[in-house]
């Protein structure tokens, strides 16, 4: 077996949804898959054992944040990110590009890379395609990302075109700098809302022969219809035999619509972030567990969920934890939200294999009362 492989195992007869297997040096996972985000080599509040218990598969960590703390050199000395955080399953790192453009102040984009300041202490920093790959090589995840420019929404066609050209040049430089044959490198399709730019970017990346392809620049302020067009504009030009990764998306609607369009991989901080504020995804829709109506509600959080939280604790107890600002509430609700999305993808895989994916999606929509945000 190669150190990284993607095997397409089933294509749905009623949609573009598909099932596959991603094989890495640290194990294999079935797709479509939702990947929990462990930005700083930890999924907030959860132990590695808890992450494994919910069927985590691939965990994502962040190049930019690990570069600043503790430093990629420290992680390299520890034997790589798997040993550093004691996770023996597959891992993925993003390039740091999104954080450079979303967190850093006073950034200056030039052909060599990006000058910017640390969001922690204001120190001057510089990140280039080569530097991003070097950091990711040192961190040692199984799957790593090209350094790209994540443009905001909306922008002019001219700006988007210049950005795509730069992203392609950076992709080539990053691929040339990549030095580890045990890490898969993905290219990232950009192009904003413009179909011809998405097509151009995808086709040029394919010529470079990456191990997989990400769809970037979505969920950055555009409406849902535009976002789904961006996915469609990108994915129809991507090869069938390589995995497709929609970056930074984690609502129920977006996962289901992405799978319907042929996406294999998703990640987002959303489930743990909203859990820390008492917002929970359930099979009946969204719940704000802090509300007074749950003070004497002794039912499980979600009777259709198989997670540790739903098997062992009531809504009343979770309500109590949040009212008392007890950290256990954040932990239990994070377990639930992550398991909910992981289980959603498990059920989606079953539906795809049975050629009833569209029916499955309609069942979810009819039973769940999610708002316009999709959670």
């Amino acid at each position: 077996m190669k150190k990284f492989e993607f095997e397409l195992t089933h294509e749905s007869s009623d949609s573009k949804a598909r099932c596959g297997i991603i094989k890495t040096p640290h194990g294999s996972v079935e797709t479509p898959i939702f990947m929990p985000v462990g930005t700083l080599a930890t999924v907030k509040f959860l132990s590695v054992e808890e992450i494994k218990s919910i069927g985590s598969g691939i965990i994502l960590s962040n190049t930019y944040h690990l570069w600043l703390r503790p430093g990629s050199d420290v992680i390299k000395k520890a034997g790589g990110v798997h040993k550093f955080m004691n996770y023996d399953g597959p891992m993925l790192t993003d390039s740091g590009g999104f954080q450079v453009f979303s967190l850093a102040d006073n950034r200056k984009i030039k052909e060599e890379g990006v000058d910017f300041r640390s969001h922690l202490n204001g120190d001057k920093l510089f990140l280039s395609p080569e530097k991003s790959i070097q950091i990711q090589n040192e961190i040692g995840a199984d799957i790593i990302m090209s350094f790209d420019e994540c443009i905001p929404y909306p922008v002019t066609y001219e700006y988007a075109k210049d950005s795509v050209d730069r992203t392609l040049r950076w992709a080539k430089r990053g691929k040339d700098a990549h030095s580890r044959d045990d890490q898969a490198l993905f290219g990232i399709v950009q192009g904003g809302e413009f179909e011809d730019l998405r097509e151009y970017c995808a086709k040029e990346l394919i010529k470079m022969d990456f191990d997989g392809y990400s769809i970037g620049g979505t969920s950055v302020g555009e409406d849902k219809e535009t976002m789904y067009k961006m996915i469609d504009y990108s994915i129809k030009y991507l090869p069938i035999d390589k995995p497709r990764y929609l970056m930074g998306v984690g609502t129920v609607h977006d996962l289901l619509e992405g799978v319907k369009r042929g996406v294999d991989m998703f990640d987002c901080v959303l489930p743990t972030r909203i859990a820390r504020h008492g917002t929970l995804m359930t099979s009946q829709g969204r719940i704000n567990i802090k509300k007074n109506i749950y003070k004497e509600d002794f039912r499980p959080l979600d009777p259709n969920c198989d997670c540790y939280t739903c098997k062992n604790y009531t809504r009343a107890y979770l309500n109590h934890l949040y009212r008392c600002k007890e950290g256990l509430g954040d932990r239990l609700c994070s377990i639930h939200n992550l398991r909910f999305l992981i289980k959603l993808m498990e059920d989606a895989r079953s539906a795809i294999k049975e050629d009833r994916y569209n029916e499955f999606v309609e069942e979810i929509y009819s039973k769940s009362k999610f708002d316009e945000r999709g959670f």
Side-chain angles (χ1 to χ4, degrees):
M1 187 187 85
K2 296 180 182 178
K3 289 175 178 167
F4 177 88
E5 286 185 355
F6 176 70
E7 178 186 355
L8 184 63
T9 57
H10 190 85
E11 294 180 90
S12 175
S13 63
D14 66 347
S15 70
K16 296 178 181 178
R18 62 203 215 143
C19 288
I21 301 174
I22 293 174
K23 304 174 183 179
T24 80
H26 288 88
S28 299
V29 296
E30 290 189 75
T31 62
I33 184 174
F34 178 79
M35 304 178 290
V37 176
T39 301
L40 285 159
T42 175
V43 178
K44 287 189 184 298
F45 294 109
L46 303 190
S47 69
V48 165
E49 291 74 22
E50 287 167 330
I51 286 296
K52 288 182 178 179
S53 74
I54 62 173
S56 54
I58 301 173
I59 291 179
L60 182 145
S61 283
N62 180 263
T63 294
Y64 168 81
H65 288 286
L66 292 177
W67 178 36
L68 298 187
R69 296 178 297 179
S72 57
D73 57 331
V74 174
I75 296 175
K76 183 179 180 181
K77 289 176 183 176
V81 68
H82 297 85
K83 289 186 178 179
F84 185 61
M85 68 176 289
N86 191 35
Y87 186 71
D88 59 5
M91 292 196 67
L92 179 153
T93 47
D94 62 8
S95 69
F98 177 77
Q99 284 69 35
V100 168
F101 295 104
S102 64
L103 293 178
D105 293 327
N106 302 317
R107 60 185 176 268
K108 182 180 180 182
I109 304 170
K110 52 188 180 183
E111 188 61 29
E112 294 81 3
V114 184
D115 288 309
F116 62 101
R117 291 187 179 273
S118 166
H119 75 289
L120 295 175
N121 56 19
D123 283 353
K124 291 182 179 180
L125 299 171
F126 175 72
L127 195 58
S128 67
E130 293 84 359
K131 183 66 175 178
S132 173
I133 295 296
Q134 176 198 334
I135 296 167
Q136 293 184 82
N137 285 167
E138 291 178 349
I139 292 171
D142 302 275
I143 303 170
I144 68 175
M145 296 294 125
S146 298
F147 186 66
D148 64 326
E149 180 184 359
C150 182
I151 61 175
Y153 176 86
V155 295
T156 65
Y157 182 89
E158 290 72 21
Y159 185 97
K161 176 64 165 65
D162 289 343
S163 176
V164 165
D165 286 334
R166 184 184 300 111
T167 285
L168 290 170
R169 292 191 295 270
W170 285 358
K172 177 63 166 61
R173 286 167 52 190
K175 193 170 191 297
D176 290 343
H178 184 37
S179 61
R180 292 184 57 162
D181 63 4
D182 61 343
Q183 289 179 307
L185 175 60
F186 282 26
I188 302 177
V189 181
Q190 292 287 355
E193 63 180 310
F194 306 105
E195 182 172 8
D196 62 326
L197 295 183
R198 290 277 177 178
E199 176 184 0
Y200 167 65
C201 190
K203 289 181 175 179
E204 291 300 309
L205 288 172
I206 291 168
K207 292 177 184 177
M208 300 181 205
D209 192 27
F210 286 93
D211 298 300
Y213 298 91
S214 303
I215 300 169
T218 68
S219 195
V220 292
E222 77 280 3
D223 58 79
K224 294 297 184 183
E225 182 179 353
T226 300
M227 175 185 169
Y228 298 148
K229 285 181 181 178
M230 290 177 176
I231 299 171
D232 290 335
Y233 292 163
S234 303
I235 211 163
K236 65 182 176 180
Y237 302 107
L238 297 179
I240 293 174
D241 61 345
K242 299 285 183 74
R244 304 157 175 174
Y245 167 26
L246 181 60
M247 307 176 75
V249 166
T251 71
V252 172
H253 286 180
D254 291 348
L255 264 62
L256 294 176
E257 293 299 321
V259 170
K260 184 185 292 186
R261 289 163 166 77
V263 175
D264 305 303
M265 305 163 65
F266 306 85
D267 82 281
C268 196
V269 299
L270 177 73
T272 50
R273 177 176 289 169
I274 65 174
R276 296 194 297 274
H277 297 282
T279 300
L280 301 162
M281 303 173 179
T282 78
S283 57
Q284 288 81 45
R286 179 163 54 97
I287 284 178
N288 183 346
I289 201 64
K290 294 183 289 187
K291 289 186 175 181
N292 196 52
I293 58 174
Y294 301 115
K295 187 175 181 179
E296 296 183 6
D297 189 339
F298 301 107
R299 295 175 295 170
L301 173 60
D302 186 346
N304 297 317
C305 181
D306 61 2
C307 80
Y308 173 80
T309 302
C310 291
K311 286 181 177 179
N312 293 281
Y313 298 99
T314 66
R315 298 179 180 188
Y317 183 63
L318 295 172
N319 175 272
H320 162 71
L321 292 176
Y322 273 97
R323 287 176 175 272
C324 297
K325 295 181 169 55
E326 287 290 337
L328 180 60
D330 294 334
R331 189 182 192 116
L332 293 175
C333 290
S334 294
I335 288 172
H336 168 77
N337 273 357
L338 286 174
R339 177 57 190 160
F340 180 81
L341 290 185
I342 290 170
K343 180 67 162 53
L344 180 70
M345 292 296 93
E346 291 173 357
D347 293 342
R349 293 197 296 266
S350 296
I352 293 168
K353 293 172 185 177
E354 296 168 2
D355 292 314
R356 58 175 190 85
Y357 182 73
N358 284 338
E359 178 185 343
F360 165 74
V361 172
E362 290 305 314
E363 289 175 359
I364 297 291
Y365 288 165
S366 65
K367 293 178 181 178
S368 305
K369 297 178 181 178
F370 295 101
D371 64 16
E372 67 278 0
R373 294 171 294 177
F375 67 88

